[in-house]
Amino acid sequence: MTALAPDPARRRADIAARTLRPDRWWVEPAVTAGVLLAFIAYSTWAAFQNANYYVAPYLSPFYSPCLAVSCVEGSSHTRIVGQWFSLSPALLVLVFPLGFRLTCYYYRKAYYRSLWLSPPACAVAEPHRSYTGETRFPLIFQNVHRYFLYPALVFNVILTVDAVLAFRNAELEWGHAGLGTLVITVNAVLLWLYSLSCHSCRHIIGGRLNHFSKHPLRYRAWTELSKLNQRHMELAWASLVFVGLTDLYVRLVASGIITDPTFF
Ligand code: FES
């Protein structure tokens, strides 16, 4: 029997219906779009507030490191950006974590499906007539993801320092902790786990090696990162939601709406 040669002019199956799936395939992209849009709306609002981002000893992760001369007293690690910058200091730093998330392999899948419907789900036709993937402008810039990883790791170090500094009381005496300390510490841990589970990070550690046997340490690290990598999606969501909640917590305490319970 002769195999039928594929017709190069026919790119899609000849099915009139958009999908034959009987299940509620639209729930996952709808929830994903809802959470992503809610985060974008909240983080944009919070970044432009330029207020209530610091209450001793807590600094919102959206404003850390606070680099502008205009940063409120006590919030700044180093004020290297002069008076010429009159906008919110959050705008100086958010471009790096946002760039890291925007180009993340997992988030790409999430927002291609949920926001661009390309495709919205498996076995559901997309509304677009052509597909060029990430081979052309502007999506070819998604390939810079690995370069966003390096500043993301630097930010994690800074947020870890913030977590250590949070073990002080409002008078900045060491050896104290409140609910804010716990919130800021969990936020830093989740951001580390998200970054270390990154596909690019896994490749940097274990990629381009011909023999793992000659690199036992890298093999060990790659094995551990591979376990984390399997949880990348969960860590992406947990760290995204928690970083927003951390800013909200600091904001509520700084504005006097709630008080920070003290543990010790
Ligand atoms: S692949 Fe998601 S952070 Fe790198």
Side-chain angles (χ1 to χ4, degrees), residues 100 104-106 145 194 198-200 232:
F100 185 50
C104 162
Y105 290 86
Y106 168 67
H145 178 64
Y194 168 60
C198 166
H199 298 278
S200 293
H232 191 57

Side-chain angles (χ1 to χ4, degrees), residues 52-126:
N52 295 325
Y53 56 84
Y54 177 74
V55 54
Y58 309 135
L59 174 61
S60 160
F62 286 3
Y63 287 75
S64 182
C66 209
L67 298 173
V69 169
S70 60
C71 291
V72 297
E73 197 57 42
S75 66
S76 184
H77 299 282
T78 169
R79 297 162 189 256
I80 55 173
V81 179
Q83 227 124 32
W84 59 268
F85 187 81
S86 55
L87 300 174
S88 167
L91 301 180
L92 291 169
V93 296
L94 279 185
V95 60
F96 296 102
L98 283 182
F100 185 50
R101 294 219 180 229
L102 207 61
T103 57
C104 162
Y105 290 86
Y106 168 67
Y107 281 115
R108 273 143 75 175
K109 173 189 157 191
Y111 65 79
Y112 287 171
R113 288 190 171 192
S114 62
L115 299 180
W116 289 356
L117 311 178
S118 180
C122 290
V124 179
E126 57 183 298

Side-chain angles (χ1 to χ4, degrees), residues 6-41:
D7 178 358
R10 231 176 106 174
R11 302 177 58 149
R12 294 177 187 250
D14 196 12
I15 300 172
R18 192 174 169 210
T19 182
L20 301 179
R21 284 180 63 169
D23 62 329
R24 296 195 294 169
W25 56 265
W26 46 269
V27 170
E28 189 178 328
V31 171
T32 304
V35 176
L36 284 179
L37 291 174
F39 181 81
I40 291 168

